[in-house]
Amino acid sequence: MATKLNRKALEHARSLVKKGKVERDVRDDWSEHAPSTDDENSFIDKHGFDEFSKWHLGIDKEKSEGTKGSVSFPFGDFKKVHRCAIVSLESRAAQYSHDDISKAAKDLLEEIDAD
C-alpha cells in the first residue's frame, strides 16, 4: 500500500489543536467545509506545495511529488482543523486499511474532544 501517514501533517494538526485552532463541527459538515479546488490552488500559489501537504494526513511517495494526487486525507481548511474532516478521514482510512492514518485520526479526535 503506497499511502502512508504524513508525519509532518500530523505534527501540524497536533500543533493547531494545542493552539485551539479547531472547528468543532459534525461529520456530515466536511462536504460543505472542505476547501474548493480554487481554494487549494490559491493556497498552493501563495504558500507552496510543502505547506499544502501539511494539511493532508496521507502521502503517497509513488505518485509524482508536488502534485495533489500525492496527498490525501485532508483535515482542515488551511486555517483550522475541522473535527468533521478528522471523523470522515478516520472512517475512510479504516475502510481502506490505512491503519497508521486511521490511528492518527483517532488520536487527534481524542485530543480535540478532551478540551
Side-chain angles (χ1 to χ4, degrees), residues 40-111:
E40 290 176 343
N41 292 338
S42 178
F43 186 87
I44 292 168
D45 288 344
K46 288 179 186 172
H47 304 282
F49 190 81
D50 284 345
E51 287 300 312
F52 177 76
S53 70
K54 288 182 186 175
W55 288 90
H56 297 80
L57 286 184
I59 192 160
D60 185 343
K61 300 286 187 179
E62 293 180 6
K63 303 282 185 175
S64 296
E65 189 174 332
T67 64
K68 288 183 185 180
S70 67
V71 294
S72 56
F73 301 106
F75 61 81
D77 62 4
F78 309 125
K79 295 179 185 106
K80 292 182 176 182
V81 173
H82 280 250
R83 188 181 186 283
C84 62
I86 302 293
V87 170
S88 178
L89 79 83
E90 186 276 325
S91 175
R92 223 171 9 109
Q95 179 181 4
Y96 292 101
S97 300
H98 298 297
D99 297 336
D100 54 347
I101 297 169
S102 178
K103 170 132 178 37
K106 284 181 183 180
D107 292 346
L108 280 171
L109 280 174
E110 288 178 11
E111 291 176 36

Side-chain angles (χ1 to χ4, degrees), residues 29-46:
D29 288 346
W30 184 235
S31 60
E32 296 174 23
H33 294 180
S36 68
T37 299
D38 287 341
D39 292 338
E40 290 176 343
N41 292 338
S42 178
F43 186 87
I44 292 168
D45 288 344
K46 288 179 186 172

